């Protein structure tokens, strides 16, 4: 079976499962996307790794795994989403140390969180894309030059409530609040503040 390389297209709040998120992967040489439902913690971990402005004050679990692997010269070469059973995706971490390659079973959300940190490629098999992939319309085709599609939102589809109205704050106050939210590990609030700052830039 042939492998297809994927890229992360975005993360959005799941419309079907409360408290869950949809991680959307897109094939690099085509128009199909692969949506995967993941938990809130894994969604935040992936989004934080993709973000350039938000850095947690302490390492998250996936950051710790990366540091541990690097200390012992373990390289993550690639991840493969290799099976789909009853709507659940199964993945493998392909690791190498001292020229010896090993395959380690992993949840897909964890595997992708690590792939982002190691900057390693993500693959799946053609038959999985045929079974679970969704074709994009021509005008929605992922374009690497499209900044809007490239931008990954932490929580893109949640409406702000009254307590999340930052319009009365100055930019300097927002920067302070962003710093406080990151230090408190409140990444959802940090994402909302960051988005407000971006709107004004």
């Amino acid at each position: 079976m042939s492998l297809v390389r994927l890229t992360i297209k975005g993360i959005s709040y799941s419309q079907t499962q409360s408290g869950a998120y949809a991680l959307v992967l897109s094939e690099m040489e085509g128009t199909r996307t692969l949506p995967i439902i993941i938990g809130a913690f894994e969604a935040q971990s992936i989004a934080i790794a993709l973000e350039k402005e938000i850095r947690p004050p302490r390492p998250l679990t996936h950051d710790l795994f990366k540091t541990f692997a690097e200390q012992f010269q373990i390289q993550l070469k690639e991840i493969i989403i290799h099976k789909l059973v009853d709507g659940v995706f199964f993945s493998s971490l392909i690791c190498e140390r001292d020229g010896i390659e090993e395959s380690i079973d992993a949840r897909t959300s964890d595997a992708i969180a690590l792939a982002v940190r190691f900057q390693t490629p993500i693959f799946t098999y053609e038959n999985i894309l045929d079974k679970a992939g969704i074709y994009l319309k021509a005008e929605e085709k992922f374009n690497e030059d499209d900044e809007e599609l490239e931008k990954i939102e932490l929580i893109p589809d949640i409406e702000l409530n009254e307590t999340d109205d930052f319009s009365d704050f100055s930019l300097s106050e927002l920067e302070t609040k962003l710093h406080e939210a990151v230090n408190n590990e409140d990444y959802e609030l940090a994402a909302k503040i960051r988005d407000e700052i971006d709107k004004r830039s």
Side-chain angles (χ1 to χ4, degrees):
M1 291 183 288
S2 61
L3 286 171
V4 179
R5 186 165 178 177
L6 304 171
T7 185
I8 297 174
K9 186 174 187 290
I11 302 171
S12 65
Y13 191 73
S14 173
Q15 302 299 315
T16 59
Q17 294 186 29
S18 177
Y21 294 82
L23 169 66
V24 182
L25 304 175
S26 174
E27 63 176 330
M28 295 188 73
E29 307 264 340
T31 61
R32 288 172 295 182
T33 62
L34 190 66
I36 300 173
I37 301 301
I38 62 175
F41 172 78
E42 292 79 10
Q44 293 286 21
S45 182
I46 292 167
I48 287 167
L50 291 167
E51 285 288 332
K52 303 302 180 187
E53 297 140 3
I54 298 176
R55 285 290 175 265
R58 296 178 297 169
L60 301 178
T61 303
H62 299 110
D63 298 316
L64 178 61
F65 184 97
K66 180 175 185 287
T67 302
F68 179 88
E70 289 176 339
Q71 281 295 115
F72 291 93
Q73 290 81 52
I74 300 170
Q75 294 181 329
L76 179 60
K77 296 182 67 178
E78 61 189 23
I79 75 159
I80 300 175
I81 303 169
H82 62 83
K83 188 166 63 172
L84 174 61
V85 179
D86 297 329
V88 178
F89 292 90
F90 293 77
S91 294
S92 297
L93 307 175
I94 309 302
C95 304
E96 184 181 50
R97 181 173 184 266
D98 295 335
I100 300 172
E101 190 172 284
E102 297 284 351
S103 176
I104 300 172
D105 183 45
R107 296 188 307 168
T108 298
S109 54
D110 289 328
I112 292 173
L114 291 171
V116 173
R117 286 165 170 80
F118 281 90
Q119 298 184 340
T120 54
I122 302 166
F123 293 98
T124 192
Y125 289 108
E126 185 71 40
N127 65 325
I128 292 177
L129 264 180
D130 286 340
K131 184 177 180 181
I134 298 172
Y135 282 90
L136 291 174
K137 295 176 184 177
E139 64 269 19
E140 294 175 338
K141 185 175 179 181
F142 179 66
N143 180 351
E144 291 183 355
D145 296 327
D146 189 334
E147 293 180 0
E148 289 301 315
L149 287 177
E150 281 188 338
K151 185 178 180 183
I152 305 297
E153 300 285 356
L154 284 176
I155 315 288
D157 294 328
I158 294 178
E159 293 294 327
L160 296 179
N161 58 40
E162 291 180 3
T163 60
D164 294 324
D165 184 3
F166 304 112
S167 58
D168 293 334
F169 294 98
S170 67
L171 272 175
S172 62
E173 289 172 329
L174 287 173
E175 293 284 357
T176 300
K177 286 187 172 293
L178 175 61
H179 182 70
E180 290 172 354
V182 171
N183 284 338
N184 292 332
E185 300 185 15
D186 187 346
Y187 302 119
E188 181 174 340
L189 177 60
K192 292 174 181 177
I193 296 171
R194 181 215 57 204
D195 290 343
E196 178 66 24
I197 292 172
D198 287 346
K199 285 180 190 174
R200 301 189 194 182
S201 301

